[in-house]
Amino acid sequence: KVNLAIQLDPSSGDVIAGAGNIFLLTDDVESARKMFEKAIRIAPFHPAWYANRYAEALTFLGEYEKAKVVLNELMTKSADSSVNIREQSRALVGLSVIAGFENKQEKGKELIEKLRGLNPKFSQSSVKNYLGLMGDKDLLTKYLGMAGELGLPQ
């Protein structure tokens, strides 16, 4: 059905990003990465969630440098108020988790503190709201575990 949707509207960033979501949540992270890259290319003024999901796919693939570029660009855009607090929060969690995976715990903790200042109610439960349907529960547990270790509350 994903392929059929793409065939029906191959020039829609939303359709392609939606396919990326399905691939990400059904453990085809490489296909998700490709779909998000394509969606971002097709829709250069895309919503922030495209970038966050793309960065999540990159993170799950271990492509931390690329993910950091995407997330840092998103945070730079937040300075002009074009990125909402929820998407900024997701980006900060992503950056902090990557820092933790790279054994830069102090940097990760600083990013979680920045997140807590921006959005004090954001928690591991918030992350579960957008990643909880992932089929790969080990990957989700690793991601949430690192966020918790760095200070993101349950």
Side-chain angles (χ1 to χ4, degrees):
K1 291 185 179 185
V2 172
N3 289 329
L4 177 60
I6 293 170
Q7 288 173 4
L8 292 173
D9 198 353
S11 63
S12 169
D14 286 344
V15 168
I16 293 168
N21 264 333
I22 291 167
F23 286 130
L24 185 66
L25 297 175
T26 58
D27 304 327
D28 188 351
V29 182
E30 180 59 32
S31 292
R33 179 190 62 79
K34 290 176 184 175
M35 290 293 106
F36 288 117
E37 283 176 351
K38 185 174 182 179
I40 288 168
R41 193 171 50 254
I42 288 172
F45 302 105
H46 56 272
W49 71 266
Y50 286 23
N52 268 321
R53 280 298 209 203
Y54 177 44
E56 288 158 4
L58 291 168
T59 300
F60 296 145
L61 291 168
E63 296 182 32
Y64 301 142
E65 292 305 314
K66 287 182 183 177
K68 288 189 295 188
V69 168
V70 171
L71 294 171
N72 282 318
E73 285 176 4
L74 188 61
M75 291 306 297
T76 299
K77 288 180 185 176
S78 72
D80 67 12
S81 302
S82 65
V83 178
N84 66 40
I85 290 174
R86 182 186 62 171
E87 296 300 335
Q88 291 176 51
S89 300
R90 288 176 63 177
L92 286 167
V93 168
L95 287 166
S96 68
V97 167
I98 291 168
F101 289 161
E102 294 179 325
N103 294 314
K104 298 176 184 173
Q105 271 64 19
E106 289 308 311
K107 176 69 174 172
K109 289 177 183 179
E110 289 172 16
L111 290 162
I112 292 293
E113 283 302 312
K114 183 175 179 178
L115 163 61
R116 303 292 295 146
L118 174 70
N119 189 351
K121 293 183 179 183
F122 202 86
S123 66
Q124 290 181 48
S125 291
S126 304
V127 176
K128 287 177 188 174
N129 284 339
Y130 60 86
L131 287 178
L133 295 176
M134 285 184 62
D136 189 339
K137 297 303 181 197
D138 291 337
L139 200 53
L140 177 62
T141 299
K142 181 180 173 185
Y143 192 91
L144 288 170
M146 182 57 71
E149 182 181 316
L150 297 170
L152 189 65
Q154 292 276 340

